Amino acid sequence: MDPDPAPSTKARAVFALGLVAFLTGAFVGGVIPATVALLLARQAERQAYSAGGYLTGMIWVRRGRLLAWVGIVLALTALVVATIAGLLHLAGAPGGQDFDANTD
């Protein structure tokens, strides 16, 4: 009396959160959904393992995890680019006090 295979409810959530992380990763807002997606992916894989193969949808978990990691990489890239742009902006600005020509 084997149970019927059932779809994982967390698989869809992991994929949706991974997609949101991918789409908003360049705006640094994708870090939060990516983190939640990675945590849910871990839980979904544990449930699939304990279900003994009767829980389906693990391809969506893998795709969601991949999208979540891409979202995190995009967010980190955006932070690095913003930091470099800020440093270049500071380097181009005149620094120190500007004294008059006849001041010693």
Side-chain angles (χ1 to χ4, degrees):
M1 302 290 298
D2 290 334
D4 291 332
S8 173
T9 56
K10 290 183 182 179
R12 292 180 190 160
V14 169
F15 181 74
L17 287 168
L19 187 61
V20 169
F22 172 72
L23 294 176
T24 61
F27 306 114
V28 188
V31 174
I32 294 171
T35 304
V36 174
L38 292 174
L39 291 173
L40 279 178
R42 182 185 299 169
Q43 291 175 3
E45 285 188 347
R46 283 187 199 148
Q47 287 178 352
Y49 180 76
S50 65
Y54 291 103
L55 195 61
T56 61
M58 289 303 109
I59 187 72
W60 294 106
V61 172
R62 278 182 256 151
R63 289 176 184 166
R65 178 181 282 152
L66 177 67
L67 288 172
W69 278 114
V70 170
I72 288 174
V73 168
L74 286 173
L76 290 174
T77 303
L79 284 174
V80 168
V81 168
T83 302
I84 291 172
L87 289 174
L88 289 175
H89 178 71
L90 286 175
Q97 281 187 317
D98 190 19
F99 294 106
D100 228 7
N102 58 1
T103 305
D104 285 336

